[in-house]
Amino acid sequence: MNAQWLKVGGMLAVLLLTAPAWVAAQEYYRGEGGRRGTIQVTNDWRDEVKLTMWTSDRERIGEYWTLSPGETAFLEYRDVRIKVRSSYKIKVGDDWGRVNLRDVGEFQNGVWYVNVRDIWRATHQDRGNRDRPSQRGYDQPDYLRP
């Protein structure tokens, strides 16, 4: 009987020692793709803009959102605020690439805060210069260039 209790006690000890690692792994899996929260976009641009978003699985979220100059809004789909992850892609306009939300947004208290100018800069920084080396940093000495 003593040996049986020793086996049970050993198994419980192993469970207690491995439980934190298992919980951490579950948290990582749930959080895959980054932190998740609602998204608030500010149109700090001079014109009306059209925004589009895609999930990590390349699924487009809704059709698009239109923001007037100076407008700040939470993005909604079917009258419900959407929750996005840092790996989701966002785009301004129709003519250029998409960018990861984590590259242009700031996450605070469960909300992603994004400015239209930051999205535009991130997606247009090398526009038209794909065949030429980047011009960024050429006004600096070679050892300071990125």
Side-chain angles (χ1 to χ4, degrees), residues 55-124:
T55 68
S56 311
D57 299 326
R58 298 181 181 158
E59 178 185 346
R60 190 167 173 169
I61 301 172
E63 189 68 22
Y64 61 87
W65 296 269
T66 304
L67 293 177
S68 301
E71 182 180 2
T72 297
F74 282 94
L75 300 186
E76 297 180 349
Y77 180 66
R78 296 183 179 164
D79 298 324
V80 176
R81 288 182 182 177
I82 62 170
K83 289 194 175 180
V84 297
R85 296 189 185 279
S86 64
S87 59
Y88 283 19
K89 305 275 188 193
I90 190 165
K91 172 179 157 178
V92 173
D94 294 320
D95 63 337
W96 204 247
R98 305 176 285 189
V99 64
N100 285 326
L101 184 58
R102 70 175 156 261
D103 296 333
V104 294
E106 186 176 321
F107 188 79
Q108 291 180 356
N109 301 321
V111 179
W112 281 99
Y113 295 95
V114 186
N115 292 321
V116 167
R117 283 184 189 270
D118 294 333
I119 301 167
W120 190 89
R121 281 185 193 121
T123 57
H124 289 71

